[in-house]
Amino acid sequence: MKLTQRDHQILCFLSDQGVATLSQLTQEFFLTEKACRSRLHILLTAKLIESVSVQELRKLSLTAFQKMSDILRVSTAELWKYRLYRLTSALRGKRAGTESLSQLKMWRHQIQLNGVRRFFKESFPNALLLTEFDVQTEWSRYLADCS
């Protein structure tokens, strides 16, 4: 299977964000949810990403599970339909920080953060928005240039 440029962008996005919903991936990379599902299926089959049920949050706590319904703006009865996408464990270990961002206890935080990032991208289209990894990389380059 040959990865497309968009596939690389999706994998980088998931590496930076830890997890994302179908809706978030659709908004970021596709025109339709159907196109997004189709491409995600290919990445799932290639074992580059995995899909995890939001129901997994119940293992953490019932409160965490219920708060996710607020974040996704659906009833708790509807949550069983929702899945989160993340890199497979083999890929998560290749980039610092990705493993911790995709852990169960970080899901709510990361999904909320993805929404905030999306808001800022739409509100300030010409602004440079860096992820924590980007900031660390730029800071390291700056320090190297100074020495």
Side-chain angles (χ1 to χ4, degrees):
M1 177 191 135
K2 183 177 179 184
L3 293 178
T4 65
Q5 181 179 358
R6 186 180 348 202
D7 293 336
H8 286 287
Q9 291 170 337
I10 292 168
L11 295 174
C12 284
F13 181 83
L14 289 173
S15 178
D16 287 343
Q17 311 308 325
V19 294
T21 64
L22 176 66
S23 174
Q24 289 170 337
L25 291 170
T26 300
Q27 288 175 352
E28 194 70 29
F29 300 106
F30 296 91
L31 297 176
T32 67
E33 194 173 283
K34 183 178 179 181
C36 184
R37 278 185 198 277
S38 175
R39 198 64 203 173
L40 291 178
H41 178 70
I42 292 168
L43 295 174
L44 284 162
T45 303
K47 299 192 185 318
L48 296 171
I49 64 171
E50 59 189 20
S51 168
V52 187
S53 172
V54 172
Q55 297 276 5
E56 290 289 311
L57 276 172
R58 283 189 170 168
K59 292 178 183 175
L60 189 62
S61 76
L62 185 57
T63 305
F65 179 73
Q66 290 168 336
K67 286 187 178 181
M68 186 60 100
S69 72
D70 295 336
I71 293 166
L72 296 175
R73 296 187 178 113
V74 296
S75 70
T76 51
E78 297 274 316
L79 271 181
W80 67 271
K81 297 178 185 177
Y82 287 81
R83 303 193 68 75
L84 297 179
Y85 296 88
R86 64 182 179 184
L87 297 178
T88 57
S89 59
L91 291 180
R92 285 195 305 264
K94 294 187 183 252
R95 188 168 175 191
T98 301
E99 182 65 42
S100 62
L101 291 177
S102 61
Q103 290 178 358
L104 187 60
K105 64 182 178 183
M106 294 295 289
W107 285 6
R108 276 189 8 239
H109 172 77
Q110 288 308 114
I111 296 302
Q112 284 178 311
L113 222 75
N114 290 347
V116 170
R117 285 187 186 102
R118 183 82 186 152
F119 169 79
F120 277 105
K121 273 185 169 180
E122 290 171 357
S123 300
F124 308 102
N126 298 322
L128 176 62
L129 302 172
L130 301 174
T131 64
E132 184 177 338
F133 180 79
D134 294 329
V135 171
Q136 290 172 353
T137 302
E138 290 301 316
W139 183 249
S140 297
R141 285 183 189 158
Y142 172 76
L143 292 176
D145 289 345
C146 290
S147 46

